[in-house]
Amino acid sequence: MKRWAIIFVAAAIAVRVALALGHPFWFPDSTDYDALARTIVQGKPYQVNGLYASRMPGYPIFVAGIYWAFGYSAKAVLLAQALLGGATVWMVYLVGRRCGERVGVVAA
């Protein structure tokens, strides 16, 4: 059964990575998050379009960390999210496994 969980996690990561590499989409709030992350990296005030705290700071801080490490790359952000998304599938498996191996695999 554990083998199935590993297969599901690998599939989840593969699908997310494929979508990240194809990245044809940009959402309206993506512009704000990108701008806030850039202001964090540049050491400027946390504001966009004259508005302070128009978005919660957690995600822009995450994006800023990726920008700091890899440069301004939407693909790097999406690949990091793909890996984290796959990791959540593994965590769901581990939590579900507490109720039984089969439950963990189905949850994954």
Side-chain angles (χ1 to χ4, degrees), residues 69-92:
F70 301 104
Y72 297 113
S73 169
K75 295 260 190 249
V77 173
L78 291 170
L79 289 173
Q81 289 177 171
L83 294 175
L84 290 173
T88 60
V89 174
W90 183 253
M91 288 186 279
V92 166

Side-chain angles (χ1 to χ4, degrees), residues 91-104:
M91 288 186 279
V92 166
Y93 162 73
L94 293 176
V95 170
R97 192 174 68 171
R98 291 180 170 195
C99 296
E101 186 71 23
R102 186 177 303 253
V103 173

Side-chain angles (χ1 to χ4, degrees), residues 15-28 30 74-75 78-79 81:
V15 167
R16 287 169 170 82
V17 167
L19 289 171
L21 293 176
H23 184 263
F25 44 84
W26 194 259
F27 298 107
S30 300
K75 295 260 190 249
L78 291 170
L79 289 173
Q81 289 177 171

Side-chain angles (χ1 to χ4, degrees), residues 38-45:
R38 288 173 186 267
T39 63
I40 292 169
V41 171
Q42 296 166 0
K44 295 180 181 176

Side-chain angles (χ1 to χ4, degrees), residues 8-74:
F8 290 151
V9 170
I13 291 173
V15 167
R16 287 169 170 82
V17 167
L19 289 171
L21 293 176
H23 184 263
F25 44 84
W26 194 259
F27 298 107
D29 62 346
S30 300
T31 304
D32 287 349
Y33 286 121
D34 176 66
L36 287 168
R38 288 173 186 267
T39 63
I40 292 169
V41 171
Q42 296 166 0
K44 295 180 181 176
Y46 186 77
Q47 67 180 31
V48 172
N49 301 326
L51 299 174
Y52 290 100
S54 62
R55 302 281 179 206
M56 296 300 287
Y59 185 67
I61 290 170
F62 168 73
V63 173
I66 294 171
Y67 284 171
W68 179 81
F70 301 104
Y72 297 113
S73 169

